[in-house]
Amino acid sequence: MTTTQQHQDEAAPAGATPEQLGIGMRFSLHPHCDDFVEAILGALQEVRDAGLTEGLVTETDVVSTYVGASTAPAEQRLGRYLTAVLAASAQRTPTGHVVAHVLLSRGCPGEIACDPAVVGLPTPAPVEVPAAGVRAVAQWSLYPLLDAGSPAGGGSHMQLIVDAVERAEARGVASRPAHYATRLDGDLADVVSTAVDAWAAVGREVPHVVTHLTISVGSPALR
Amino acid sequence: MTTTQQHQDEAAPAGATPEQLGIGMRFSLHPHCDDFVEAILGALQEVRDAGLTEGLVTETDVVSTYVGASTAPAEQRLGRYLTAVLAASAQRTPTGHVVAHVLLSRGCPGEIACDPAVVGLPTPAPVEVPAAGVRAVAQWSLYPLLDAGSPAGGGSHMQLIVDAVERAEARGVASRPAHYATRLDGDLADVVSTAVDAWAAVGREVPHVVTHLTISVGSPALR
């Protein structure tokens, strides 16, 4: 082990790995055009060819694509991949209108093996995602799944949500609250980063956290 | 008050009204075709003209449509409306492929006024939704949002989910679990009813419950 390697290991946040925590997402792409198959499969392939699936495991089924993070920096890999694939799909869509629905999950690996006794929750750095040059509008919901036995089990899930929305507002990305969701508005990369960072931040206190995002690009209602 | 009216009032489940509980949904329609505007707005109008918005408040914005239930039977109104609007959109989509993303919420009226001390959680009857004659495949996730102070605050959110999935399996609609979601497969009306009933059933024990569904109709991968 080199000195540099040793230093990195010591500096790394203690605790569970991305795989042990089940950090990943499930997303679907909805190109609003007749030739939607190409605008979905072409975008998935393009982003794979660009190397953005490094450190990720992907699996596409008839409804959506699962993306699991196998190595750190898990959140950044997911944020960059998602931004790139949605931008690529929009470029391939003649009408320009594509919507992605995204579920980000952490703390519940496997189907139902949710372990409230997990210790050493990581403290990931904020993600850095290059600007996409594409405006996006999203509706975003965050779900801290508290249990009596979890580290933050004595708390209130709403307080965790309110704090996260206030941090998103301070970034200038979150704006109007709507029923059941908060509106995010900005460059696609900022919209994705805001949701990913909020989800990761709550994950420092609660093991199982899920966030859902409906991200719209190129809607005629916004032109 | 007539005797019949009195009897109905006595037989009605005690507790909070749909409006007090904030029972409603937010959904987006994604027709995979060039003329997507007509397939969205035409379907919304068609279902309104058919009287299916009775007892519901709707509000469409640039990302999705909010539907709040103002009167009982709240769950049945939502299930029938959602099934009808997705079927109508599929009929208006030349490629036949439409995906809806749906968020059903209860127990958190207003933006953040989630009251864990709410009492008298209702026990709605299973919904009855006429068969749509359209096959749907969905990925479904259920989130019981427990707090320390809530009636079921001492419990485990995963146990509530496992029980709900087992009931959905017993109906023959839930099949394979996937990462972060359970696959539902069947007539569109059965898929919607299964998710709505599961969400309502957990709502008897936990005030704030959210469920998300990505429902796919007419996918070429299923033909």
Side-chain angles (χ1 to χ4, degrees), chain A residues 108-198:
Chain A
C108 194
E111 306 321 331
I112 54 168
C114 196
D115 182 4
V118 64
V119 289
L121 294 174
T123 302
V127 299
E128 288 175 25
V129 180
V134 174
R135 182 185 172 194
V137 174
Q139 286 176 345
W140 166 53
S141 304
L142 179 65
Y143 307 116
L145 291 150
L146 293 171
D147 276 340
S150 68
S156 148
H157 72 281
M158 286 311 295
Q159 193 54 53
L160 293 162
I161 296 170
V162 170
D163 293 348
V165 171
E166 281 177 3
R167 286 192 301 270
E169 283 170 350
R171 293 172 74 140
V173 177
S175 54
R176 281 167 273 176
H179 290 285
Y180 317 139
T182 297
R183 176 173 160 146
L184 305 180
D185 200 328
D187 185 274
L188 172 59
D190 292 330
V191 165
V192 168
S193 301
T194 298
V196 169
D197 284 344

Coordinates of all heavy atoms in Angstrom, one line a residue, chain A residues 108-198:
Chain A
C108 N -31.9 0.2 2.2 CA -32.8 -1.0 2.1 C -32.3 -1.9 1.0 O -33.0 -2.2 0.1 CB -34.2 -0.6 1.9 SG -35.4 -1.9 2.2
P109 N -31.1 -2.5 1.2 CA -30.6 -3.4 0.2 C -31.4 -4.7 0.1 O -32.1 -5.1 1.1 CB -29.2 -3.7 0.6 CG -29.2 -3.5 2.1 CD -30.2 -2.4 2.4
G110 N -31.4 -5.4 -1.0 CA -32.2 -6.6 -1.1 C -33.7 -6.1 -1.3 O -34.0 -4.9 -1.3
E111 N -34.6 -7.1 -1.3 CA -36.0 -6.7 -1.5 C -36.6 -6.1 -0.3 O -37.2 -5.1 -0.3 CB -36.8 -7.9 -2.0 CG -36.2 -8.6 -3.2 CD -35.6 -7.7 -4.3 OE1 -36.1 -6.6 -4.4 OE2 -34.7 -8.1 -5.0
I112 N -36.4 -6.8 0.8 CA -37.1 -6.4 2.0 C -36.2 -6.4 3.3 O -36.7 -6.2 4.4 CB -38.4 -7.3 2.3 CG1 -38.0 -8.8 2.3 CG2 -39.4 -7.1 1.2 CD1 -39.1 -9.7 2.8
A113 N -34.9 -6.7 3.1 CA -34.0 -6.8 4.2 C -33.6 -5.4 4.6 O -32.4 -5.0 4.4 CB -32.8 -7.7 3.8
C114 N -34.5 -4.7 5.3 CA -34.2 -3.4 5.7 C -33.7 -3.4 7.2 O -34.4 -3.8 8.0 CB -35.4 -2.5 5.6 SG -35.2 -0.8 5.7
D115 N -32.4 -3.1 7.4 CA -31.9 -3.3 8.7 C -31.8 -2.0 9.5 O -30.9 -1.2 9.2 CB -30.5 -3.9 8.6 CG -29.8 -4.2 9.9 OD1 -30.5 -4.0 10.9 OD2 -28.7 -4.7 9.9
P116 N -32.7 -1.8 10.4 CA -32.6 -0.5 11.2 C -31.4 -0.4 12.1 O -31.1 0.7 12.6 CB -33.9 -0.5 12.0 CG -34.3 -2.0 12.1 CD -33.7 -2.7 10.9
A117 N -30.7 -1.5 12.3 CA -29.6 -1.5 13.2 C -28.3 -1.1 12.5 O -27.2 -1.2 13.1 CB -29.4 -2.8 13.9
V118 N -28.3 -0.8 11.2 CA -27.1 -0.5 10.5 C -26.4 0.7 11.2 O -27.0 1.7 11.7 CB -27.4 -0.1 9.0 CG1 -28.3 1.2 8.9 CG2 -26.2 0.0 8.2
V119 N -25.1 0.6 11.2 CA -24.3 1.6 11.9 C -23.3 2.2 10.9 O -23.1 1.7 9.8 CB -23.5 1.1 13.1 CG1 -24.5 0.8 14.2 CG2 -22.7 -0.1 12.7
G120 N -22.7 3.4 11.2 CA -21.7 4.0 10.4 C -22.3 4.5 9.1 O -21.8 4.2 8.0
L121 N -23.4 5.3 9.2 CA -24.0 5.9 8.0 C -23.0 6.9 7.4 O -22.4 7.7 8.1 CB -25.3 6.6 8.3 CG -26.4 5.6 8.8 CD1 -27.6 6.4 9.2 CD2 -26.8 4.7 7.6
P122 N -22.7 6.8 6.1 CA -21.7 7.6 5.5 C -22.1 9.1 5.3 O -23.3 9.4 5.4 CB -21.5 7.0 4.1 CG -22.8 6.3 3.8 CD -23.4 5.9 5.1
T123 N -21.2 9.9 5.2 CA -21.4 11.4 5.0 C -20.8 11.8 3.6 O -19.7 12.3 3.6 CB -20.7 12.2 6.1 OG1 -21.2 11.7 7.4 CG2 -21.0 13.7 6.0
P124 N -21.6 11.5 2.6 CA -21.0 11.8 1.2 C -20.9 13.3 1.0 O -21.7 14.1 1.5 CB -22.0 11.2 0.3 CG -23.3 11.1 1.1 CD -22.9 11.0 2.5
A125 N -19.9 13.7 0.2 CA -19.7 15.1 -0.2 C -20.8 15.4 -1.2 O -21.4 14.5 -1.9 CB -18.3 15.2 -0.8
P126 N -21.2 16.7 -1.3 CA -22.1 17.1 -2.3 C -21.6 16.7 -3.7 O -20.4 16.7 -3.9 CB -22.2 18.7 -2.2 CG -21.7 18.9 -0.8 CD -20.7 17.9 -0.5
V127 N -22.6 16.3 -4.5 CA -22.2 15.8 -5.8 C -21.8 17.0 -6.7 O -22.3 18.1 -6.6 CB -23.3 15.0 -6.5 CG1 -23.6 13.8 -5.7 CG2 -24.6 15.8 -6.7
E128 N -20.9 16.7 -7.7 CA -20.6 17.7 -8.7 C -21.0 17.1 -10.1 O -20.4 16.1 -10.5 CB -19.1 18.0 -8.7 CG -18.6 18.8 -7.5 CD -17.1 19.0 -7.4 OE1 -16.5 18.9 -8.4 OE2 -16.7 19.2 -6.2
V129 N -21.9 17.7 -10.7 CA -22.4 17.3 -12.0 C -22.3 18.4 -13.0 O -22.7 19.5 -12.7 CB -23.9 16.9 -11.9 CG1 -24.5 16.4 -13.2 CG2 -24.1 15.8 -10.8
P130 N -21.5 18.2 -14.1 CA -21.4 19.3 -15.1 C -22.7 19.8 -15.6 O -23.6 19.0 -15.8 CB -20.6 18.6 -16.2 CG -20.0 17.4 -15.6 CD -20.9 16.9 -14.5
A131 N -22.8 21.1 -15.8 CA -24.0 21.7 -16.3 C -24.4 21.0 -17.6 O -23.6 20.7 -18.5 CB -23.8 23.2 -16.5
A132 N -25.8 20.8 -17.8 CA -26.2 20.1 -19.0 C -26.6 21.1 -20.1 O -26.7 20.7 -21.2 CB -27.5 19.3 -18.6
G133 N -26.8 22.4 -19.7 CA -27.3 23.3 -20.7 C -28.7 23.1 -21.2 O -29.1 23.6 -22.2
V134 N -29.5 22.4 -20.3 CA -30.9 22.1 -20.6 C -31.7 22.5 -19.4 O -31.4 22.1 -18.3 CB -31.0 20.5 -20.8 CG1 -32.5 20.1 -21.0 CG2 -30.2 20.1 -22.0
R135 N -32.7 23.2 -19.6 CA -33.6 23.6 -18.5 C -34.5 22.4 -18.1 O -35.1 21.8 -19.0 CB -34.5 24.8 -18.8 CG -35.3 25.3 -17.7 CD -36.3 26.4 -18.0 NE -37.2 26.6 -16.8 CZ -38.3 27.3 -16.9 NH1 -38.6 27.9 -18.0 NH2 -39.0 27.5 -15.8
A136 N -34.7 22.2 -16.8 CA -35.6 21.2 -16.4 C -36.5 21.7 -15.3 O -36.1 22.6 -14.5 CB -34.8 20.0 -15.8
V137 N -37.7 21.2 -15.2 CA -38.6 21.5 -14.1 C -39.0 20.1 -13.5 O -39.3 19.2 -14.3 CB -39.9 22.2 -14.7 CG1 -40.9 22.4 -13.6 CG2 -39.5 23.6 -15.2
A138 N -39.0 20.1 -12.2 CA -39.3 18.8 -11.6 C -40.2 18.9 -10.4 O -40.4 20.0 -9.9 CB -38.0 18.1 -11.1
Q139 N -40.9 17.8 -10.1 CA -41.6 17.8 -8.9 C -41.0 16.6 -8.0 O -40.8 15.5 -8.5 CB -43.1 17.5 -9.1 CG -43.8 18.8 -9.6 CD -45.2 18.7 -10.0 OE1 -45.7 17.5 -10.2 NE2 -45.9 19.8 -10.2
W140 N -40.7 17.0 -6.8 CA -39.8 16.2 -6.0 C -40.4 15.9 -4.6 O -40.9 16.8 -4.0 CB -38.5 17.0 -5.8 CG -37.5 16.6 -4.8 CD1 -37.0 15.3 -4.6 CD2 -37.0 17.4 -3.7 NE1 -36.2 15.3 -3.5 CE2 -36.1 16.5 -3.0 CE3 -37.1 18.7 -3.4 CZ2 -35.4 17.0 -1.9 CZ3 -36.4 19.2 -2.3 CH2 -35.5 18.3 -1.5
S141 N -40.3 14.6 -4.2 CA -40.8 14.2 -2.9 C -39.7 13.4 -2.2 O -39.0 12.6 -2.8 CB -42.1 13.4 -3.0 OG -43.1 14.1 -3.7
L142 N -39.7 13.6 -0.9 CA -38.6 12.9 -0.1 C -39.2 12.2 1.1 O -40.1 12.7 1.8 CB -37.7 14.0 0.5 CG -36.5 13.7 1.3 CD1 -35.5 12.9 0.6 CD2 -35.8 15.0 1.9
Y143 N -38.8 10.9 1.3 CA -39.4 10.0 2.3 C -38.4 9.4 3.2 O -37.8 8.4 2.9 CB -40.2 8.9 1.6 CG -41.2 9.4 0.6 CD1 -41.1 9.1 -0.8 CD2 -42.3 10.3 1.0 CE1 -42.0 9.6 -1.7 CE2 -43.2 10.7 0.1 CZ -43.1 10.4 -1.3 OH -44.0 10.9 -2.2
P144 N -38.2 10.0 4.4 CA -37.3 9.4 5.4 C -38.2 8.3 6.1 O -39.2 8.6 6.7 CB -37.0 10.6 6.4 CG -37.6 11.8 5.8 CD -38.6 11.4 4.8
L145 N -37.7 7.1 6.0 CA -38.5 6.0 6.6 C -38.0 5.6 7.9 O -37.2 4.7 8.1 CB -38.5 4.8 5.6 CG -39.3 5.2 4.3 CD1 -38.8 4.5 3.1 CD2 -40.8 4.9 4.5
L146 N -38.6 6.3 8.9 CA -38.2 6.1 10.3 C -38.8 4.8 10.9 O -39.9 4.4 10.5 CB -38.7 7.3 11.2 CG -38.1 8.6 10.9 CD1 -38.9 9.7 11.7 CD2 -36.6 8.6 11.3
D147 N -38.1 4.2 11.8 CA -38.6 3.1 12.6 C -38.3 3.4 14.1 O -37.4 4.2 14.4 CB -38.0 1.8 12.2 CG -38.6 1.2 11.0 OD1 -39.8 1.5 10.7 OD2 -38.0 0.3 10.4
A148 N -39.0 2.7 14.9 CA -38.8 2.9 16.4 C -37.3 2.6 16.7 O -36.7 3.3 17.5 CB -39.7 2.1 17.2
G149 N -36.8 1.6 16.0 CA -35.4 1.1 16.3 C -34.3 1.8 15.6 O -33.1 1.6 15.8
S150 N -34.6 2.7 14.7 CA -33.6 3.4 13.9 C -32.9 4.5 14.6 O -33.5 5.0 15.6 CB -34.2 3.9 12.6 OG -35.1 5.0 12.8
P151 N -31.7 4.9 14.2 CA -30.9 5.9 14.9 C -31.7 7.2 15.2 O -31.6 7.8 16.2 CB -29.7 6.2 14.0 CG -29.5 4.9 13.2 CD -30.9 4.3 13.1
A152 N -32.5 7.6 14.2 CA -33.3 8.8 14.4 C -34.8 8.5 14.6 O -35.7 9.2 14.3 CB -33.2 9.7 13.1
G153 N -35.0 7.3 15.2 CA -36.4 6.8 15.3 C -37.3 7.6 16.2 O -38.5 7.5 16.2
G154 N -36.7 8.4 17.1 CA -37.5 9.2 18.0 C -38.0 10.5 17.3 O -38.7 11.3 17.9
G155 N -37.6 10.7 16.1 CA -37.8 12.0 15.4 C -39.1 12.1 14.7 O -40.0 11.2 14.8
S156 N -39.2 13.1 13.9 CA -40.4 13.4 13.1 C -39.9 13.4 11.6 O -39.0 14.1 11.3 CB -41.0 14.7 13.4 OG -41.6 15.3 12.3
H157 N -40.6 12.6 10.8 CA -40.2 12.6 9.4 C -40.4 13.9 8.7 O -39.7 14.3 7.8 CB -40.9 11.4 8.6 CG -42.3 11.6 8.3 ND1 -43.3 11.5 9.3 CD2 -43.0 12.1 7.2 CE1 -44.5 11.7 8.7 NE2 -44.3 12.1 7.5
M158 N -41.4 14.7 9.1 CA -41.7 15.9 8.5 C -40.6 17.0 8.7 O -40.3 17.8 7.9 CB -43.1 16.5 8.9 CG -44.3 15.8 8.3 SD -44.2 15.5 6.5 CE -44.3 17.2 5.9
Q159 N -40.0 16.9 10.0 CA -39.0 17.9 10.2 C -37.8 17.7 9.3 O -37.2 18.6 8.8 CB -38.5 17.8 11.7 CG -37.7 19.0 12.2 CD -38.4 20.3 11.9 OE1 -39.5 20.5 12.3 NE2 -37.7 21.2 11.1
L160 N -37.5 16.4 9.1 CA -36.3 16.1 8.2 C -36.6 16.6 6.7 O -35.8 17.1 6.0 CB -36.1 14.6 8.1 CG -35.6 13.9 9.4 CD1 -35.8 12.4 9.4 CD2 -34.1 14.2 9.6
I161 N -37.9 16.5 6.3 CA -38.3 17.0 5.0 C -38.2 18.5 4.9 O -37.7 19.1 4.0 CB -39.7 16.5 4.6 CG1 -39.7 14.9 4.5 CG2 -40.2 17.1 3.3 CD1 -41.1 14.3 4.4
V162 N -38.8 19.2 5.9 CA -38.8 20.6 6.0 C -37.3 21.2 5.9 O -37.0 22.1 5.1 CB -39.5 21.1 7.2 CG1 -39.3 22.6 7.4 CG2 -41.0 20.8 7.2
D163 N -36.5 20.6 6.7 CA -35.1 21.0 6.7 C -34.4 20.8 5.3 O -33.7 21.7 4.8 CB -34.2 20.2 7.7 CG -34.6 20.5 9.1 OD1 -35.4 21.5 9.3 OD2 -34.2 19.8 10.0
A164 N -34.7 19.7 4.6 CA -34.2 19.4 3.3 C -34.7 20.4 2.3 O -33.9 20.9 1.4 CB -34.5 18.0 2.9
V165 N -36.0 20.7 2.3 CA -36.5 21.7 1.4 C -35.9 23.0 1.6 O -35.6 23.8 0.6 CB -38.1 21.7 1.5 CG1 -38.7 22.8 0.7 CG2 -38.7 20.4 1.0
E166 N -35.7 23.4 2.8 CA -35.1 24.7 3.1 C -33.7 24.8 2.5 O -33.3 25.8 2.0 CB -35.1 25.0 4.6 CG -36.4 25.5 5.1 CD -36.5 25.7 6.6 OE1 -35.4 25.6 7.3 OE2 -37.6 26.0 7.1
R167 N -32.9 23.7 2.6 CA -31.6 23.7 2.0 C -31.7 23.8 0.5 O -30.9 24.5 -0.1 CB -30.8 22.4 2.5 CG -30.4 22.5 3.9 CD -29.4 21.3 4.2 NE -29.9 20.0 4.0 CZ -30.6 19.3 4.9 NH1 -30.7 19.7 6.1 NH2 -31.0 18.1 4.6
A168 N -32.7 23.1 -0.1 CA -32.8 23.2 -1.5 C -33.2 24.6 -2.0 O -32.8 25.1 -3.0 CB -33.9 22.2 -2.0
E169 N -34.1 25.3 -1.2 CA -34.4 26.6 -1.5 C -33.2 27.6 -1.4 O -33.1 28.5 -2.2 CB -35.5 27.1 -0.5 CG -36.9 26.6 -0.8 CD -37.9 26.8 0.3 OE1 -37.5 27.3 1.4 OE2 -39.1 26.6 0.1
A170 N -32.3 27.3 -0.4 CA -31.1 28.2 -0.3 C -30.2 28.0 -1.5 O -29.5 28.9 -1.8 CB -30.4 27.8 1.0
R171 N -30.3 26.9 -2.2 CA -29.5 26.7 -3.5 C -30.1 27.5 -4.6 O -29.5 27.5 -5.7 CB -29.5 25.2 -3.8 CG -28.7 24.4 -2.8 CD -28.8 22.9 -3.2 NE -28.0 22.5 -4.3 CZ -27.4 21.4 -4.4 NH1 -27.3 20.5 -3.4 NH2 -26.7 21.1 -5.5
G172 N -31.4 27.9 -4.5 CA -32.0 28.6 -5.6 C -32.7 27.7 -6.6 O -33.1 28.1 -7.6
V173 N -32.8 26.4 -6.2 CA -33.4 25.5 -7.2 C -34.8 25.1 -6.8 O -35.7 25.0 -7.6 CB -32.5 24.2 -7.3 CG1 -33.1 23.1 -8.2 CG2 -31.1 24.6 -7.8
A174 N -35.1 24.9 -5.5 CA -36.4 24.6 -5.1 C -37.2 25.9 -5.0 O -36.7 27.0 -4.6 CB -36.4 24.0 -3.7
S175 N -38.4 25.9 -5.6 CA -39.3 27.0 -5.5 C -40.6 26.7 -4.9 O -40.7 26.2 -3.7 CB -39.4 27.7 -6.8 OG -39.9 26.8 -7.8
R176 N -41.7 26.8 -5.6 CA -43.0 26.7 -5.1 C -43.3 25.3 -4.6 O -43.1 24.3 -5.3 CB -44.0 26.9 -6.2 CG -44.2 28.4 -6.4 CD -45.0 28.6 -7.7 NE -44.1 28.6 -8.9 CZ -44.5 28.7 -10.1 NH1 -45.7 28.6 -10.4 NH2 -43.6 28.7 -11.1
P177 N -43.8 25.1 -3.3 CA -44.3 23.8 -2.9 C -45.7 23.6 -3.6 O -46.4 24.5 -3.9 CB -44.5 24.0 -1.4 CG -44.7 25.4 -1.2 CD -44.0 26.2 -2.3
A178 N -45.9 22.4 -4.0 CA -47.2 22.0 -4.5 C -47.8 20.9 -3.6 O -47.1 20.4 -2.7 CB -47.1 21.5 -5.9
H179 N -49.0 20.4 -3.8 CA -49.5 19.3 -3.0 C -48.6 18.1 -3.2 O -48.3 17.7 -4.3 CB -50.9 18.9 -3.4 CG -51.9 19.9 -3.0 ND1 -52.4 20.1 -1.8 CD2 -52.6 20.8 -3.8 CE1 -53.3 21.0 -1.7 NE2 -53.4 21.5 -2.9
Y180 N -48.0 17.6 -2.1 CA -47.3 16.3 -2.1 C -45.9 16.4 -2.8 O -45.2 15.4 -2.9 CB -48.0 15.2 -2.8 CG -49.5 15.0 -2.5 CD1 -50.4 14.8 -3.4 CD2 -49.9 15.2 -1.2 CE1 -51.8 14.7 -3.1 CE2 -51.3 15.1 -0.8 CZ -52.2 14.8 -1.8 OH -53.5 14.7 -1.5
A181 N -45.5 17.6 -3.2 CA -44.2 17.7 -3.9 C -43.7 19.1 -3.8 O -44.4 20.1 -3.6 CB -44.3 17.3 -5.4
T182 N -42.4 19.3 -4.1 CA -41.8 20.6 -4.2 C -41.3 20.8 -5.6 O -40.7 19.9 -6.2 CB -40.6 20.7 -3.2 OG1 -41.0 20.6 -1.9 CG2 -39.8 22.0 -3.3
R183 N -41.5 22.0 -6.2 CA -41.0 22.2 -7.5 C -39.6 22.6 -7.6 O -39.1 23.5 -6.8 CB -41.9 23.3 -8.2 CG -41.4 23.7 -9.5 CD -42.4 24.7 -10.2 NE -41.7 25.4 -11.3 CZ -42.3 25.8 -12.4 NH1 -43.6 25.6 -12.6 NH2 -41.6 26.4 -13.3
L184 N -38.8 21.9 -8.4 CA -37.4 22.3 -8.7 C -37.3 22.9 -10.1 O -38.0 22.4 -11.0 CB -36.5 21.1 -8.5 CG -36.6 20.3 -7.2 CD1 -35.6 19.1 -7.3 CD2 -36.2 21.2 -6.0
D185 N -36.5 23.9 -10.2 CA -36.4 24.5 -11.5 C -34.9 25.0 -11.8 O -34.4 25.7 -10.9 CB -37.3 25.8 -11.5 CG -37.7 26.3 -12.9 OD1 -36.9 26.2 -13.8 OD2 -38.8 26.8 -13.0
G186 N -34.4 24.7 -12.9 CA -33.0 25.1 -13.2 C -32.3 24.3 -14.2 O -33.0 23.5 -14.9
D187 N -31.0 24.4 -14.4 CA -30.3 23.5 -15.3 C -30.5 22.1 -14.8 O -30.6 21.8 -13.6 CB -28.8 23.8 -15.3 CG -28.0 23.0 -16.3 OD1 -27.6 21.8 -15.9 OD2 -27.9 23.4 -17.4
L188 N -30.7 21.2 -15.7 CA -31.0 19.8 -15.4 C -30.0 19.2 -14.3 O -30.4 18.5 -13.4 CB -30.9 18.9 -16.7 CG -30.9 17.4 -16.5 CD1 -32.2 17.0 -15.8 CD2 -30.8 16.8 -17.9
A189 N -28.7 19.6 -14.5 CA -27.7 19.1 -13.5 C -28.0 19.7 -12.1 O -27.7 18.9 -11.1 CB -26.3 19.6 -14.0
D190 N -28.4 20.9 -12.0 CA -28.7 21.5 -10.7 C -30.0 20.8 -10.1 O -30.0 20.6 -8.8 CB -28.9 23.0 -10.8 CG -27.6 23.7 -11.2 OD1 -26.5 23.2 -10.8 OD2 -27.7 24.7 -11.8
V191 N -30.9 20.5 -10.9 CA -32.2 19.9 -10.4 C -31.8 18.5 -9.8 O -32.2 18.1 -8.7 CB -33.2 19.8 -11.5 CG1 -34.3 18.8 -11.2 CG2 -33.8 21.2 -11.8
V192 N -31.0 17.7 -10.6 CA -30.6 16.4 -10.2 C -29.8 16.5 -8.9 O -30.0 15.8 -7.9 CB -29.9 15.7 -11.3 CG1 -29.2 14.4 -10.8 CG2 -30.9 15.3 -12.4
S193 N -28.8 17.4 -8.9 CA -27.9 17.5 -7.8 C -28.6 17.9 -6.5 O -28.3 17.4 -5.4 CB -26.8 18.6 -8.0 OG -26.1 18.3 -9.2
T194 N -29.6 18.8 -6.6 CA -30.3 19.2 -5.4 C -31.1 18.0 -4.8 O -31.0 17.8 -3.6 CB -31.3 20.3 -5.8 OG1 -30.6 21.4 -6.3 CG2 -32.2 20.7 -4.7
A195 N -31.7 17.2 -5.6 CA -32.5 16.1 -5.1 C -31.5 15.0 -4.5 O -31.8 14.4 -3.5 CB -33.3 15.5 -6.2
V196 N -30.4 14.8 -5.2 CA -29.4 13.7 -4.8 C -28.8 14.2 -3.5 O -28.7 13.4 -2.5 CB -28.4 13.5 -5.9 CG1 -27.2 12.6 -5.3 CG2 -29.0 12.8 -7.1
D197 N -28.4 15.4 -3.4 CA -27.8 15.9 -2.1 C -28.7 15.8 -0.9 O -28.3 15.5 0.2 CB -27.2 17.3 -2.3 CG -25.9 17.3 -3.1 OD1 -25.3 16.3 -3.3 OD2 -25.6 18.5 -3.6
A198 N -30.0 16.2 -1.2 CA -31.0 16.2 -0.1 C -31.2 14.8 0.4 O -31.3 14.5 1.6 CB -32.3 16.8 -0.6

